Amino acid sequence: MGIRPDSMQAIAWAIAAGATGLAGALIATFFYIVPTVGETLAIVAFVTVSLGGFGSVPGALVAGLLIGVIESLSGYLIGAVYKDIVVYALFVSFLWFRPQGLMGKS
Amino acid sequence: MMRRLVWPSVLSALVIAYPLLFATPFQQRLGALVLLYAIAASAWNIVGGYAGQVSVGHVVFFGCGAYAAMGAYAHFGLSPMVGIPAGIVFAVAIAAIIGTPTLRLSGHYFSMATIAVAELVRLVVTNTEYLGAAVGLSGPTVPRNIFDLSFISALPYYYLFLVILAITLLITWWMTNSRMGFYLRAIKDSERAARSLGAPAARTKLYAFMLSAGLTAVAGALYAMMFGFVDPESGLGILISVKILIMAALGGAGLLFGPLVGAAILVPLEELSNSLLGGSGAGLTFVVYGAIILLIARFQPGGLLALAIRIRERRRKASDAPVAAGAGHAS
């Protein structure tokens, strides 16, 4: 068909890296930055994509908003240490009901 | 027939004699650590290699065993050994919680769920006073009797780990030759085809995951006993999951002795770089790990052992031809 899979994958990879870099630059304005700052954020990003459903753009958007709100609210209501625990626990229990994510195809 | 047995018997004799030939405390400790990580990586291999489901959160099972062993001592004054069955039960239960929903799907969901659960458990433990919070739990400072399995020398640990590794490999070997191994191979080739032929794909993968989790818990308990303590970083840190995974992948995921080969290469590498470079070099190990991941993914996805097998078969094919021609002379 004339589509070169290697270069398409490279472009997708580059766009993903660029967008993540942009997110990193934006978060640096209000976040404490240490060399390992990306670890937790990357895991939360994984969780967000699985929650939205792999390959679903609206799913990722909705899941991102949901996780952001849940994390901030639980940090405020329950305690800052527990905000990630709440997100992960909700994610794991959500998997039992809809393992393919909000908008993913199984 | 005799020739085929020479190399395996020489190698196993070497493995058994190793701590006597290399008798300094550093070398004995190194040998014990290789075997310990080989146990964990072999356990990972059951689900990651044979079932083809990459778990990136295996440390959670490791932590179950480690915390159960130390908890049995710290809270009940029992031998850490008593904690092992409890650790296995916890690990298998967590495996069932993760695996039941996600193993029904194919793709990345399983890997993501394992990371999320591992981080969840690490955060919960770090904030639980009963489990020592950020400080962790300690084992017996002075061994009360032999059942505490607390030795100064690494020699007893070496042989203990060797026995457990042999049992782990035996279980793996037995599994691959049973109906379950047959199903797993079919699922790994093509899950849809296996399902349509009536193989219970989700259930078989779940059993493999639970078996792997239980064995990893044993490795975690042994680790805690040898070091005498466990904290969230050493018992539940995500880097341990990565280590276990890389050892199996480097040696050869899905091959019986692959994880052992990987551990025998990576553990000495890490210990040497730590002892040569001191504290400042601790991070270098992970640079090496990253490079190894890249190289394996790019050039040899089957691992080193798969490469060795391929080279040997090519050589055998090359040497078979003249042997067949001169078959009249031989023997």
Side-chain angles (χ1 to χ4, degrees):
Chain A
M1 299 280 228
I3 298 170
R4 279 176 297 176
D6 285 356
S7 51
M8 291 319 282
Q9 274 171 1
I11 291 172
W13 179 234
I15 294 174
T20 314
L22 188 65
L26 290 175
I27 216 168
T29 56
F30 64 93
F31 217 72
Y32 184 62
I33 300 299
V34 286
T36 52
V37 67
E39 265 174 32
T40 352
L41 292 175
I43 294 170
V44 172
F46 282 152
V47 169
T48 310
V49 176
S50 326
L51 184 66
F54 284 98
S56 162
V57 176
L61 182 66
V62 172
L65 283 173
L66 260 178
I67 284 190
V69 170
I70 292 171
E71 202 181 89
S72 307
L73 273 183
S74 53
Y76 176 69
L77 295 173
I78 307 173
V81 238
Y82 297 102
K83 63 178 195 198
D84 288 325
I85 297 180
V86 171
V87 169
Y88 295 140
L90 281 177
F91 169 64
V92 173
S93 37
F94 178 80
L95 279 178
W96 274 79
F97 302 107
R98 212 178 146 74
Q100 70 272 38
L102 285 171
M103 300 181 187
K105 294 178 215 99
S106 63
Chain B
M1 186 62 206
M2 280 306 284
R3 259 184 69 205
R4 268 181 61 200
L5 285 176
V6 170
W7 275 109
S9 28
V10 167
L11 278 180
S12 34
L14 265 181
V15 168
I16 292 170
Y18 168 86
L20 308 172
L21 296 173
F22 300 92
T24 67
F26 177 78
Q27 288 162 338
Q28 289 184 341
R29 206 181 83 95
L30 188 63
L33 276 180
V34 167
L35 293 179
L36 179 67
Y37 278 109
I39 298 171
S42 300
W44 181 90
N45 197 21
I46 293 174
V47 68
Y50 291 104
Q53 302 294 311
V54 177
S55 161
V56 200
H58 239 57
V59 72
V60 66
F61 310 126
F62 192 83
C64 279
Y67 271 96
M70 292 297 103
Y73 171 77
H75 291 304
F76 306 106
L78 297 165
S79 155
M81 259 200 298
V82 181
I84 295 180
I88 294 176
V89 169
F90 277 120
V92 171
I94 291 178
I97 291 173
I98 305 174
T100 307
T102 52
L103 287 172
R104 272 184 268 149
L105 306 161
S106 41
H108 309 298
Y109 295 96
F110 173 71
S111 303
M112 294 302 136
T114 52
I115 299 187
V117 170
E119 276 301 286
L120 171 69
V121 171
R122 186 179 67 84
L123 287 168
V124 168
V125 169
T126 312
N127 291 301
T128 305
E129 211 51 60
Y130 185 75
L131 294 172
V135 185
L137 295 175
S138 295
T141 36
V142 180
R144 295 163 300 179
N145 52 48
I146 191 157
F147 297 110
D148 275 349
L149 290 182
S150 165
F151 312 107
I152 294 162
S153 158
L155 191 70
Y157 289 115
Y158 184 89
Y159 287 110
L160 176 67
F161 296 170
L162 192 60
V163 170
I164 306 277
L165 177 65
I167 295 173
T168 307
L169 292 178
L170 212 68
I171 292 176
T172 311
W173 178 81
W174 168 79
M175 185 204 77
T176 51
N177 285 300
S178 70
R179 181 193 294 260
M180 192 169 145
F182 182 72
Y183 282 155
L184 284 177
R185 274 194 296 279
I187 292 165
K188 209 180 159 189
D189 275 348
S190 164
E191 184 163 342
R192 195 175 284 180
R195 265 182 214 269
S196 65
L197 288 172
R203 192 155 24 106
T204 312
K205 286 191 285 183
L206 182 64
Y207 289 162
F209 188 38
M210 283 156 70
L211 177 62
S212 167
L215 290 169
T216 313
V218 175
L222 297 174
Y223 174 90
M225 283 183 215
M226 181 170 167
F227 284 85
F229 84 101
V230 61
D231 64 2
E233 205 49 50
S234 68
L236 290 162
I238 195 163
L239 283 172
I240 297 176
S241 303
V242 176
K243 244 195 229 178
I244 293 174
L245 192 161
I246 292 181
M247 279 170 196
L250 174 71
L255 295 169
L256 186 57
F257 289 102
L260 180 58
V261 172
I265 295 170
L266 284 180
V267 174
L269 202 68
E270 181 181 350
E271 291 294 307
L272 281 178
S273 78
N274 281 355
S275 70
L276 289 179
L277 299 163
S280 64
L284 190 73
T285 319
F286 299 110
V287 176
V288 175
Y289 280 176
I292 289 172
I293 299 183
L294 280 178
L295 290 175
I296 301 175
R298 177 66 186 80
F299 296 110
Q300 191 56 42
L304 288 178
L305 209 56
L307 183 72
I309 289 171
R310 224 171 49 203
I311 290 173
R312 217 179 72 181
E313 270 173 8
R314 197 174 300 160
R315 214 180 273 167
R316 186 177 291 165
K317 252 181 220 154
S319 67
D320 268 359
V323 166
H329 301 287
S331 68

